[in-house]
Amino acid sequence: LKRLAKRKRKAVFLKKVTFSQEELNSYLNLIYIKRYTPEVKYVKLKLDKNNFVSGTIKVKLEGKKYDKVPGFLKDIELETSGKVECKNYRMRFLFEDIKLNGNSFSPEILDESFGAAQAGFKVKKSLYDWFQLLPGIKSITIDYKKITIFY
């Protein structure tokens, strides 16, 4: 991914690289979350046809930084499924199902609660927000047990 971010020259055709579901999960668990999100204990994604993704994320919030977080939210397992949408060098995840510690929640109601908890923020975030892809990456597609990155 560092090599992709360094590419500067314009190409007529997009290049692509494909990773298996196992390679993606290994990268997320062994490198990414340890460096950037230590609160996440593990991620297990299942990739399916037509950009459909499901998976489990285990989060444990510890330390003074999280003293104000309610106890029942300090150790959670989030199961989710939905579809990845990608265009204009951005992507988002369209939630279809969310389970928090085994309890099902409506993604729309959870998004409304998330928005209400941001009272006083100048810019409110949503679960359905678009995110910029990493520098150098143009698009992403997901198929059965594989992800393809176009750069």
Side-chain angles (χ1 to χ4, degrees):
L1 291 174
K2 288 180 184 178
R3 181 176 53 86
L4 297 179
K6 288 181 183 178
R7 277 185 71 85
K8 299 283 187 215
R9 64 186 166 115
K10 298 272 182 184
V12 176
F13 299 103
L14 290 178
K15 292 186 178 189
K16 66 180 180 177
V17 61
T18 300
F19 299 101
S20 70
Q21 174 179 289
E22 292 79 17
E23 289 170 320
L24 176 63
N25 281 319
S26 293
Y27 171 77
L28 291 172
N29 287 298
L30 296 173
I31 297 171
Y32 188 83
I33 64 175
K34 287 185 186 217
R35 185 177 297 162
Y36 299 109
T37 56
E39 298 86 3
V40 176
K41 298 307 170 194
Y42 67 84
V43 174
K44 184 175 181 184
L45 298 177
K46 295 177 188 169
L47 309 177
D48 212 342
K49 294 186 248 179
N50 300 322
N51 292 334
F52 190 80
V53 179
S54 61
T56 304
I57 301 169
K58 175 72 170 172
V59 179
K60 194 162 190 162
L61 306 176
E62 301 173 310
K64 290 184 180 184
K65 182 177 178 181
Y66 301 107
D67 281 347
K68 294 184 180 180
V69 175
F72 70 96
L73 291 176
K74 287 188 177 186
D75 188 7
I76 61 170
E77 186 169 276
L78 178 71
E79 296 174 62
T80 186
S81 62
K83 194 167 187 173
V84 172
E85 191 174 67
C86 190
K87 62 182 173 183
N88 299 328
Y89 311 114
R90 300 181 316 153
M91 71 178 288
R92 69 177 173 173
F93 189 70
L94 301 173
F95 292 92
E96 289 185 7
D97 184 45
I98 296 176
K99 287 184 181 178
L100 187 61
N101 291 338
N103 299 308
S104 292
F105 289 90
S106 162
E108 292 79 14
I109 291 174
L110 200 56
D111 189 48
E112 287 296 323
S113 301
F114 182 56
Q118 298 176 65
F121 285 56
K122 289 183 182 180
V123 178
K124 290 188 177 184
K125 301 285 184 182
S126 167
L127 297 177
Y128 298 101
D129 281 349
W130 287 91
F131 296 94
Q132 286 295 125
L133 292 170
L134 294 171
I137 297 176
K138 309 295 184 212
S139 184
I140 293 173
T141 60
I142 295 169
D143 206 350
Y144 183 69
K145 293 193 175 190
K146 65 182 180 179
I147 181 170
T148 302
I149 300 171
F150 295 90
Y151 61 99

